[in-house]
């Protein structure tokens, strides 16, 4: 069972059926807490001398199976799941950073992440420099003595620019800074950033992994590749006031970060995933490899077809011949380019709103990665808080329409787009 391919791991890893009464499906351990054998046992588990479950805010058997499975597929040494992708991202930053620290981030980011970095963390005196990721040396120019993380999205949402993870990872390594990659849009079925040098991988499980639009979740996977002992990260090499004076690097070695993320991140910020949602996300993960192939095929066909339409001014999809960074698409997404397509109409902003109001199969909502096809006009919704300048730097032009292509018959999707175009 150790040497399974990733698509088989998505079905099996982490579930030891002899420990769950032979249940073929992963059971939902819907409990808040766990009975200790006696007070000595309780003391040892609390003191981290013995592995064991304490309280579901920290760990839970259903969640553990999801964590093991995702860690194994991404090639990590450990994972922690959270209640949402956003809880994952904010807890990662709050675990890694303190007042005075600095992040270098790509400017092509999910709107919520952009807001955490641009507005919320500065309130705690944590600053971010946003750089154009098209040239990896921009990351290097922005690094200063206080820089503690480089943050990128493998495939920017919604700009759909692919970042040269390997080159950015060289910059990170040269400067002893961990590289964090949000891999939500490709999903682990199309891209494994750890292979290209990522130290920490993040997913919103809400999207393609859960895949059915029913449960929020997030995960952090630790590659175990980062050396925390360079002097830049004293919280890992000096006694932790927050947990009985333990030294994370001494006690956990390569797993220092993922251990701190659970022990302090979940304890203090409390963004634990509900075991029932973990169960729903596991159902999604089991079919991820089959679904993402169909999402990708449908999206490529729709993108090509849109390019042939008179009303359409431009289309961006990493599988298209017209895609700007074709060499990066070939390198990082050779077996499919996921389900997100963006395009603009010759009629601009007004036409984009009208089109978005007219689709019948495509649901107007703020999500991606559902089995069903979705549509949104970011400039008037998810990105409306941004200034026009910020909208441009995050890749959200005023005419941009974002489609998340579902698993429907592609003919039905084309018919729906045609009828919406005829309404313009
Ligand atoms: C949706 C999304 C998030 C946030 O995840 P939630 O589960 O909605 O909190 C983060 N990053 C990317 C790329 C996303 O698409």
């Amino acid at each position: 069972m150790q040497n399974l391919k990733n698509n088989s791991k998505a079905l099996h890893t982490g579930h030891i059926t002899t420990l769950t009464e032979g249940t073929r499906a992963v059971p939902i351990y819907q409990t808040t807490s766990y009975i200790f054998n006696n007070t000595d046992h309780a003391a040892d588990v609390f003191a981290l001398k013995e592995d064991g479950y304490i309280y579901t805010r920290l760990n839970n058997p259903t969640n553990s199976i999801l964590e093991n499975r995702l860690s194994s597929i991404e090639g990590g040494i450990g994972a922690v799941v959270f209640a949402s992708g956003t809880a994952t991202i904010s807890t990662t930053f709050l675990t890694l950073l303190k007042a005075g620290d600095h992040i270098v981030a790509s400017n092509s980011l999910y709107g919520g992440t952009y807001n955490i970095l641009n507005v919320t963390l500065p309130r705690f005196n944590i600053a971010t420099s946003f750089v154009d990721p098209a040239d990896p040396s921009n990351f290097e120019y922005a690094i200063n003595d206080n820089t503690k993380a480089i943050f990128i999205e493998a495939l920017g949402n919604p700009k759909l620019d692919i970042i040269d993870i390997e080159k950015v990872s060289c910059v990170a390594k040269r400067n002893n800074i961990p590289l964090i990659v949000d891999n939500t849009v490709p999903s682990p079925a199309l891209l494994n950033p750890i292979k290209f040098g990522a130290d920490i991988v993040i997913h919103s499980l809400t999207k393609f992994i859960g895949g059915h639009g029913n449960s929020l979740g997030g995960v952090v996977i630790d590659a175990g590749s980062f050396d925390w002992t360079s002097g830049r990260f004293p919280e890992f090499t000096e006694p932790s006031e927050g947990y009985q004076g333990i030294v994370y690097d001494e006690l956990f070695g390569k797993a220092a970060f993922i251990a701190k993320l659970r022990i302090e991140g979940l304890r203090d910020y409390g963004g634990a995933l509900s075991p029932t949602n973990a169960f729903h996300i596991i159902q999604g993960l089991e079919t991820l490899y089959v679904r993402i192939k169909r999402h990708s095929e449908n999206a490529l066909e729709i993108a090509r077809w849109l390019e042939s339409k008179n009303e359409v001014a431009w289309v961006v999809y990493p599988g298209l011949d017209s895609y700007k960074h074709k060499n990066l698409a070939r390198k990082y997404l050779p077996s499919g380019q996921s389900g997100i397509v963006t395009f603009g109409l010759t009629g601009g902003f007004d036409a984009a709103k009208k089109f978005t109001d007219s689709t019948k199969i495509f649901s107007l909502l703020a999500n991606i990665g559902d089995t069903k096809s979705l549509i949104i006009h970011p400039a008037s919704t998810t990105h409306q808080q941004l200034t026009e300048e910020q909208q441009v730097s995050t890749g959200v032009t005023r005419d941009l329409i974002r489609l998340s292509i579902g698993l429907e018959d592609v003919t039905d999707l084309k018919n729906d787009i045609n009828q919406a175009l005829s309404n313009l």
Side-chain angles (χ1 to χ4, degrees):
M1 294 295 264
Q2 296 290 316
N3 296 320
L4 296 178
K5 304 279 186 217
N6 279 349
N7 50 346
S8 304
K9 285 180 179 174
L11 296 155
H12 291 282
T13 299
H15 185 193
I16 302 167
T17 53
T18 49
L19 298 180
T20 64
E21 311 286 357
T23 61
R24 185 54 284 181
V26 173
I28 307 175
Y29 286 87
Q30 191 67 29
T31 184
T32 55
S33 33
Y34 308 85
I35 300 169
F36 300 114
N37 302 336
N38 51 49
T39 52
D40 284 341
H41 173 228
D44 284 348
V45 175
F46 266 95
L48 307 173
K49 286 182 189 147
E50 197 176 320
D51 280 345
Y53 293 104
I54 297 176
Y55 191 59
T56 286
R57 173 150 40 73
L58 299 170
N59 47 15
N60 171 280
T62 308
N63 294 14
S64 296
I65 291 170
L66 179 58
E67 287 166 347
N68 286 336
R69 218 168 260 194
L70 289 166
S71 172
S72 173
I73 287 170
E74 281 287 25
I77 59 158
V80 177
V81 289
F82 289 87
S84 68
T86 303
T88 306
I89 291 166
S90 55
T91 310
T92 297
F93 289 142
L94 292 170
T95 300
L96 211 50
L97 304 157
K98 59 179 184 314
D101 285 347
H102 174 249
I103 302 167
V104 179
S106 155
N107 65 15
S108 173
L109 294 178
Y110 175 70
T113 307
Y114 186 80
N115 217 63
I116 294 173
L117 293 169
N118 190 48
V119 179
T120 305
L121 288 180
R123 281 176 31 223
F124 302 94
N125 194 23
I126 296 169
T128 296
S129 300
F130 295 98
V131 303
D132 178 355
D135 180 357
S137 55
N138 289 341
F139 290 90
E140 189 132 35
Y141 299 141
I143 290 170
N144 66 37
D145 287 346
N146 298 321
T147 308
K148 297 292 172 68
I150 295 179
F151 186 91
I152 61 174
E153 283 178 17
L155 183 56
N157 176 11
K159 203 174 178 179
L160 298 180
D161 49 334
I162 300 174
I163 301 195
D164 198 333
I165 300 172
E166 209 159 46
K167 291 221 171 103
V168 181
S169 140
C170 289
V171 172
K173 285 192 170 53
R174 247 197 316 275
N175 292 278
N176 292 315
I177 296 166
L179 173 62
I180 307 174
V181 179
D182 181 335
N183 194 31
T184 298
V185 177
S187 92
L190 297 178
L191 174 64
N192 298 123
I194 289 173
K195 279 191 198 144
F196 298 100
D199 298 295
I200 295 167
V201 175
I202 283 176
H203 288 279
S204 165
L205 300 173
T206 314
K207 313 296 171 56
F208 290 100
I209 294 177
H212 294 72
N214 58 35
S215 302
L216 280 98
V219 69
V220 178
I221 296 137
D222 187 347
S225 51
F226 192 74
D227 177 8
W228 300 98
T229 64
S230 66
R232 211 182 253 271
F233 295 91
E235 313 87 80
F236 288 94
T237 52
E238 287 168 14
S240 167
E241 259 181 74
Y243 208 91
Q244 305 173 2
I246 63 170
V247 178
Y248 282 99
D249 179 65
E250 280 173 13
L251 199 57
F252 298 102
K254 283 185 177 313
F257 169 72
I258 203 74
K260 191 176 197 305
L261 188 67
R262 183 185 305 283
I263 293 168
E264 294 185 13
L266 278 176
R267 185 198 61 189
D268 296 351
Y269 304 111
L273 179 66
S274 136
T276 299
N277 277 6
F279 172 82
H280 288 301
I281 291 163
I282 287 167
Q283 307 316 300
L285 177 56
E286 293 190 352
T287 59
L288 172 66
Y289 286 77
V290 181
R291 285 184 292 104
I292 202 75
K293 189 162 179 276
R294 174 65 176 258
H295 281 295
S296 301
E297 286 165 3
N298 275 1
L300 180 59
E301 184 162 345
I302 292 289
R304 283 183 176 146
W305 177 79
L306 279 172
E307 273 190 325
S308 72
K309 293 258 151 199
N310 288 334
E311 299 93 330
V312 174
W314 57 269
V315 184
V316 173
Y317 182 71
L320 287 175
D321 285 336
S322 61
Y323 184 69
K324 208 164 145 199
H325 303 289
K326 268 185 75 177
N327 55 332
L328 293 179
R330 265 196 295 269
K331 175 170 178 181
Y332 290 102
L333 298 169
S335 51
Q337 296 80 37
S338 194
I340 312 300
V341 176
T342 62
F343 70 104
L345 295 166
T346 51
F349 180 86
D350 293 333
K353 283 191 72 174
K354 197 149 187 213
F355 178 88
T356 304
D357 279 334
S358 309
T359 56
K360 297 200 162 68
I361 295 176
F362 286 86
S363 307
L364 169 55
L365 55 75
N367 192 21
I368 56 170
D370 198 327
T371 48
K372 290 126 188 158
S373 287
L374 316 173
I375 184 167
I376 202 154
H377 178 227
S380 64
T381 54
T382 51
H383 287 63
Q384 65 169 221
Q385 265 95 315
L386 306 185
T387 63
E388 200 154 335
E389 195 185 315
Q390 287 168 330
Q391 289 183 347
V392 171
S393 79
T394 57
V396 181
T397 49
R398 288 176 55 76
D399 61 339
L400 183 147
I401 298 167
R402 184 185 73 192
L403 302 177
S404 176
I405 304 292
L407 306 180
E408 297 91 345
D409 192 292
V410 79
T411 310
D412 292 325
L413 298 180
K414 288 179 184 171
N415 287 342
D416 192 31
I417 291 171
N418 271 336
Q419 69 76 26
L421 287 174
S422 72
N423 261 352
L424 292 179

